[in-house]
Amino acid sequence: MKPYSSARDEFKGEARVFLDANENALGSPTLKWYNRYPDPMQWEIKDKLSAIKKIPATQIFLGNGSDEPIDLLYRCFCEPGRDEVIVCPPTYGMYEVSANINDIKLTKVPLTSSFQLDLEAIEQAIQPQTKIIWICSPNNPTGNSIDRQDIEMILNNFDGIVVIDEAYINFSRQRSFIGDLSDYPNLVVLQTLSKAWGLAALRLGMAFASEQIISYLNKIKPPYNISKPVQDLVLKALDEVGQVNDMIMLLVDSRGRLEKALLELSAVLQVYPSDANFLLVKFDDAKAMYAHLLNLGIVVRDRSNVVLCDQCLRITVGTDAENDSLVNGIKSSNPQILS
Ligand SMILES: Cc1ncc(COP(=O)(O)O)c(C=O)c1O
């Protein structure tokens, strides 16, 4: 496939006068210096990420949130109406939504009751047309990390693409699979700036993979998929790794305290161990608790209709004040009204 070749892609070398891309040379009256198209390959950001993640810049793809590489992976590796993929619910919903949008058959192999991969069931579900296996670790909404050995077993035995979504990896003690990319040509690791980096509004998702896979994703992406203001802000943010690490430690600490406080409440039956910035919490009556909290202006995520998450709400770790409001809100629920 021949990708779109932008004016800036074709130009190489030094120049003073740019009359190649039909931009407005006068600029904008309000935002003066956004009149030029941004770097389609975002090399400055990739160079910084390369140093942080210890991987060559040519093995990094940047997208409009992780949702963009999720969609592009379907379009790259799956033929609509013919190919299929495997997901392991309960897990992040976009793997399924994106499969449906792209007319790719989705086979669901639920996690075990301890929220781990069911390797035997996955082996049985693999068909000749199975092109991708999606693994989310730490998993959303359960919060736990998937056993590394199980993931390695799949990487070693499945010859399609294995995507490991590490959106929450910074909140866990697990080692990222980015360091294993040279061992597995079929591995794609997804990460995002939306969680630990605190930049969900910017929409910057990252895919790490072999140079070959990254070159395919680059071929099919929209040419200027990361806007210039976002590139500028991300470049600035990436200088603050130290502060981000401090914030991660604070959030992990809050997660522990919130877990303890929740376990003391009579309405809480179970708090599942979390490697992420949220807790999956089992209540005596999740739907009633959800409604009660909403009434108090506190929004959590009702996961009680999701497989293996009966009576569960997913609760993001907030600021100390927000966590206190939540705990007080749950305390104020009246068991009589709830039942
Ligand atoms: C597992 C997982 N992957 C990806 C995302 C989306 O990330 P982004 O904001 O980069 O699109 C989320 C968002 O909640 C998520 O939970």
Side-chain angles (χ1 to χ4, degrees):
M1 190 205 113
K2 200 169 175 304
Y4 176 73
S5 177
S6 72
R8 282 307 118 80
D9 279 333
E10 288 180 0
F11 155 78
K12 286 193 177 56
E14 296 283 310
R16 269 181 318 109
V17 179
F18 289 94
L19 301 175
D20 57 344
N22 299 344
E23 295 147 333
N24 181 341
L26 306 184
S28 141
T30 45
L31 297 170
K32 211 67 192 157
W33 304 125
Y34 288 108
N35 55 331
R36 300 293 179 188
Y37 284 102
D39 174 7
M41 297 296 287
Q42 312 101 18
W43 285 119
E44 264 190 280
I45 298 178
K46 287 178 184 171
D47 285 342
K48 274 198 184 172
L49 279 173
S50 163
I52 295 169
K53 303 286 178 186
K54 311 211 169 13
I55 178 134
T58 47
Q59 288 186 253
I60 304 174
F61 173 87
L62 300 180
N64 181 2
S66 307
D67 294 340
E68 184 169 28
I70 290 171
D71 175 68
L72 290 178
L73 285 162
Y74 279 112
R75 296 208 267 153
C76 186
F77 292 108
C78 302
E79 189 150 323
R82 201 197 72 175
D83 287 336
E84 39 185 280
V85 301
I86 291 175
V87 297
C88 303
T91 194
Y92 181 49
M94 277 309 285
Y95 315 139
E96 179 167 359
V97 171
S98 220
N100 290 338
I101 291 170
N102 286 291
D103 191 19
I104 309 300
K105 185 177 164 206
L106 185 97
T107 301
K108 294 183 184 178
V109 180
L111 296 174
T112 63
S113 55
S114 49
F115 300 146
Q116 290 298 329
L117 298 177
D118 185 339
L119 289 180
E120 262 177 47
I122 290 174
E123 187 183 3
Q124 280 169 15
I126 293 172
Q127 299 295 319
Q129 317 86 269
T130 306
K131 298 297 169 68
I132 301 177
I133 297 178
W134 296 92
I135 298 168
C136 186
S137 182
N139 186 43
N140 175 7
T142 57
N144 64 298
S145 296
I146 302 298
D147 285 344
R148 199 177 172 87
Q149 281 180 343
D150 289 356
I151 298 178
E152 284 169 356
M153 177 75 92
I154 293 186
L155 280 164
N156 283 317
N157 291 287
F158 175 62
D159 56 10
I161 299 293
V162 179
V163 183
I164 307 176
D165 186 343
E166 295 185 339
Y168 300 97
I169 189 81
N170 303 97
F171 301 106
S172 91
R173 290 183 184 278
Q174 300 294 316
R175 187 158 44 92
S176 164
F177 270 90
I178 289 179
D180 300 69
L181 280 168
S182 49
D183 295 334
Y184 300 111
N186 57 338
L187 170 62
V188 177
V189 177
L190 298 181
Q191 292 189 4
T192 176
L193 296 192
S194 299
K195 311 294 174 185
W197 286 84
L199 296 169
L202 292 192
R203 312 303 304 127
L204 198 98
M206 302 165 272
F208 305 90
S210 69
E211 248 181 57
Q212 192 181 15
I213 291 177
I214 297 300
S215 75
Y216 293 151
L217 296 177
N218 283 331
K219 267 189 168 185
I220 62 173
K221 80 180 181 70
Y224 303 105
N225 61 329
I226 310 292
S227 72
K228 172 76 170 149
V230 168
Q231 292 199 32
D232 289 347
L233 291 167
V234 167
L235 273 175
K236 236 170 113 178
L238 290 178
D239 286 336
E240 304 303 339
V241 182
Q243 285 190 54
V244 171
N245 282 335
D246 291 347
M247 203 164 61
I248 292 167
M249 288 208 292
L250 281 179
L251 286 168
V252 168
D253 197 50
S254 302
R255 181 182 73 200
R257 278 182 286 119
L258 180 60
E259 179 182 3
K260 232 170 123 216
L262 288 170
L263 281 170
E264 282 170 11
L265 306 177
S266 58
V268 171
L269 302 187
Q270 194 170 357
V271 182
Y272 291 92
S274 173
D275 271 351
N277 66 338
F278 57 83
L279 294 167
L280 187 72
V281 184
K282 189 173 223 159
F283 288 88
D284 47 4
D285 186 340
K287 289 226 177 290
M289 184 57 72
Y290 178 83
H292 168 72
L293 290 173
L294 202 56
N295 230 354
L296 299 173
I298 300 170
V299 199
V300 296
R301 191 92 149 109
D302 180 4
R303 298 282 81 184
S304 61
N305 291 333
V306 171
V307 62
L308 299 177
C309 296
D310 192 35
Q311 299 294 0
C312 285
L313 302 179
R314 193 196 68 195
I315 302 176
T316 307
V317 177
T319 62
D320 285 349
E322 288 170 336
N323 298 339
D324 287 347
S325 294
L326 171 86
V327 171
N328 289 331
I330 296 172
K331 264 188 205 157
S332 73
S333 66
N334 181 336
Q336 257 105 49
I337 295 173
L338 288 178
S339 63

